[in-house]
Amino acid sequence: MEKLKLMKQEMQDVLQNNILRFWLEKMQDRENGGFYGRIDGQGVLHPDAEKGAILNARILWSFSAAYRVLGKQEYLDTATRAKDYIIDHFIDKEYGGVYWSLDYKGNPLDTKKQFYAIGFVIYGMSEYARATGDREALECALQLFDCIEEHAFVREHNGYIEACTREWGEIADMRLSEL
């Protein structure tokens, strides 16, 4: 039992003083909003790198869950920053869904609708709503779920496609990346 308690303490220490601290101190873009899209293996920040929906959704989920479990205000503040940035910049106000990426200033860059990214935003918004009771986040998650059901489900194949154009049309290349 003591070993389990020590392991839990060690894991919490790594989470709070390494992982979350890194994102709090190094990756918040205070000039353009949201979070930086890239820091390389040598610790060099690339402030003009594109910002991806999946990364921002993971930040939202992580800080929302950290706030729910640990109750620290700085985690709530960071989760709220991520939620607001996603809603203000990644959500396509005209056609619905989520842009795949933004430029470093928060303008749409790759506007295709990858259902993988939409799923991550649903996870993040759902966890934020769970942690805070926020109705806006819950409504966003529900609307995105409806987008997936409306645009990705292919009834005749009883399955889902991977991506669409911004306007929900067919897209030739549905891959997440060229890799």
Side-chain angles (χ1 to χ4, degrees):
M1 192 59 130
E2 185 62 31
K3 191 174 185 178
L4 194 58
K5 188 176 178 180
L6 287 172
M7 185 185 303
K8 180 181 176 183
Q9 288 174 339
E10 183 179 341
M11 289 173 63
Q12 270 193 321
D13 180 60
V14 169
L15 174 68
Q16 293 185 74
N17 297 314
N18 185 344
I19 298 168
L20 297 177
R21 182 74 31 223
F22 172 85
W23 290 96
L24 286 167
E25 293 175 358
K26 295 184 187 262
M27 297 306 290
Q28 291 189 60
D29 183 346
R30 300 200 188 281
E31 184 176 338
N32 297 297
F35 300 86
Y36 294 114
R38 181 170 179 240
I39 191 168
D40 66 28
Q42 287 70 46
V44 176
L45 184 66
H46 296 264
D48 58 348
E50 71 183 85
K51 298 176 178 187
I54 293 172
L55 174 62
N56 281 268
R58 286 176 172 171
I59 292 168
L60 172 60
W61 186 91
S62 298
F63 280 94
S64 296
Y67 172 70
R68 181 176 53 80
V69 173
L70 301 170
K72 289 191 172 185
Q73 184 64 43
E74 66 184 332
Y75 300 161
L76 174 60
D77 294 344
T78 305
T80 301
R81 175 189 185 84
K83 180 203 86 152
D84 291 344
Y85 192 79
I86 289 169
I87 288 173
D88 292 345
H89 297 278
F90 278 100
I91 300 293
D92 184 338
K93 308 289 188 282
E94 187 173 355
Y95 295 103
V98 174
Y99 300 123
W100 179 247
S101 67
L102 309 173
D103 69 15
Y104 73 99
K105 292 189 175 197
N107 301 305
L109 186 62
D110 187 342
T111 61
K112 72 177 169 237
K113 305 299 169 55
Q114 288 284 163
F115 294 104
Y116 185 73
I118 294 171
F120 271 93
V121 174
I122 291 171
Y123 295 151
M125 291 293 171
S126 298
E127 182 62 27
Y128 186 87
R130 180 181 182 201
T132 66
D134 185 81
R135 295 293 306 175
E136 181 182 38
L138 179 60
E139 288 301 318
C140 181
L142 292 170
Q143 287 171 1
L144 292 172
F145 175 81
D146 289 343
C147 283
I148 291 174
E149 290 301 303
E150 181 180 347
H151 301 291
F153 185 70
V154 181
R155 196 169 310 286
E156 55 269 18
H157 298 294
N158 196 32
Y160 294 82
I161 60 172
E162 297 286 332
C164 289
T165 65
R166 178 181 181 205
E167 301 83 7
W168 304 109
E170 286 187 31
I171 191 169
D173 185 358
M174 291 192 217
R175 297 176 300 168
L176 294 174
S177 75
E178 292 184 18
L179 301 175

